[in-house]
Amino acid sequence: MATATKWVIDPMHSEVQFKVKHLVISTVSGFFKSFEGTLETTGDDFEDANISFALNIDSIDTNQTQRDEHLKSAEFFDAAQYPQITFKSTSFKKTGDDEYDLFGDLTVKGVTKPVKLAAEYGGSTDDFYGNTKAGFEVTGKINRKEFGLTWDGVTEAGSIVVGEDIKLLINIQFAKQK
């Protein structure tokens, strides 16, 4: 029986970024600055790893305080009632040399839906202190309205203020637990 190896996210060397169209002509980027997660695997590679992840809505940062407060409000994420976005993997399958399909359940604002994300393994190495680290870049796209983020604004000219598709770009460094 293989023993499970547990890895935890190193928040100092990880980031969670999102991008959304604004007025359909440009892109606004933002980050979640507070998050945590684990990866557990039983093999030498990461295939079939169990991954769980949570990020704190109150840590949203789009470089505009007024917009951040609007995103935290009940019109968007409703951080007071739903303080976290969570993800729990259902499958992590190798599709190429360093490429994986990551399937899982994403919960936003109390709505849970299955999502598929792409993960690229950047490799692993030991740091200055002898800790083993592994890096991944996870990308994907979700439709915000499927998760109850239905606020819409329309300009006087009829332009949609916020796009429906949210691009995710997550760079994660995991630290192997001893």
Side-chain angles (χ1 to χ4, degrees), residues 37-41 46-54 86-93 100-107 112-117 119 138 174:
T38 60
L39 179 151
E40 286 188 15
T41 185
F46 292 97
E47 191 160 28
D48 293 323
N50 289 316
I51 301 161
S52 62
F53 186 79
T86 61
F87 175 84
K88 178 77 178 118
S89 68
T90 55
S91 172
F92 193 57
K93 296 289 181 204
Y100 293 81
D101 281 342
L102 173 58
F103 294 89
D105 294 323
L106 180 66
T107 302
T112 303
K113 299 266 185 193
V115 296
K116 176 186 175 190
L117 304 171
V138 179
F174 286 100

Side-chain angles (χ1 to χ4, degrees), residues 14-34:
S14 301
E15 65 181 21
V16 177
Q17 183 181 25
F18 63 91
K19 295 178 178 288
V20 63
K21 287 288 187 187
H22 182 252
L23 298 175
V24 195
I25 59 167
S26 64
T27 300
V28 170
S29 298
F31 291 88
F32 287 96
K33 297 199 168 191
S34 174

Side-chain angles (χ1 to χ4, degrees), residues 18-178:
F18 63 91
K19 295 178 178 288
V20 63
K21 287 288 187 187
H22 182 252
L23 298 175
V24 195
I25 59 167
S26 64
T27 300
V28 170
S29 298
F31 291 88
F32 287 96
K33 297 199 168 191
S34 174
F35 48 86
E36 60 190 20
T38 60
L39 179 151
E40 286 188 15
T41 185
T42 53
D44 289 336
D45 66 10
F46 292 97
E47 191 160 28
D48 293 323
N50 289 316
I51 301 161
S52 62
F53 186 79
L55 59 84
N56 297 315
I57 299 296
D58 272 337
S59 73
I60 199 166
D61 185 352
T62 64
N63 211 22
Q64 295 290 327
T65 304
Q66 189 174 357
R67 178 173 46 219
D68 295 346
E69 293 306 314
H70 188 211
L71 290 170
K72 294 175 194 178
S73 77
E75 285 189 339
F76 273 98
F77 287 110
D78 196 358
Q81 187 171 347
Y82 305 102
Q84 290 190 320
I85 293 174
T86 61
F87 175 84
K88 178 77 178 118
S89 68
T90 55
S91 172
F92 193 57
K93 296 289 181 204
K94 196 168 192 170
T95 59
D97 286 345
D98 295 323
E99 296 167 356
Y100 293 81
D101 281 342
L102 173 58
F103 294 89
D105 294 323
L106 180 66
T107 302
V108 179
K109 204 173 178 180
V111 177
T112 303
K113 299 266 185 193
V115 296
K116 176 186 175 190
L117 304 171
E120 183 180 342
Y121 176 54
S124 66
T125 192
D126 290 344
D127 67 11
F128 290 117
Y129 308 103
N131 300 305
T132 303
K133 304 286 186 95
F136 288 90
E137 182 173 272
V138 179
T139 57
K141 185 166 59 172
I142 62 166
N143 183 308
R144 67 179 174 88
K145 291 190 173 183
E146 292 178 5
F147 292 92
L149 303 175
T150 57
W151 182 88
D152 271 325
V154 178
T155 66
E156 286 183 23
S159 294
I160 295 169
V161 176
V162 181
E164 288 185 27
D165 289 332
I166 309 293
K167 290 182 183 177
L168 305 173
L169 179 57
I170 304 164
N171 285 289
I172 297 177
Q173 189 175 106
F174 286 100
K176 187 177 187 178
Q177 302 301 286
K178 297 179 182 183

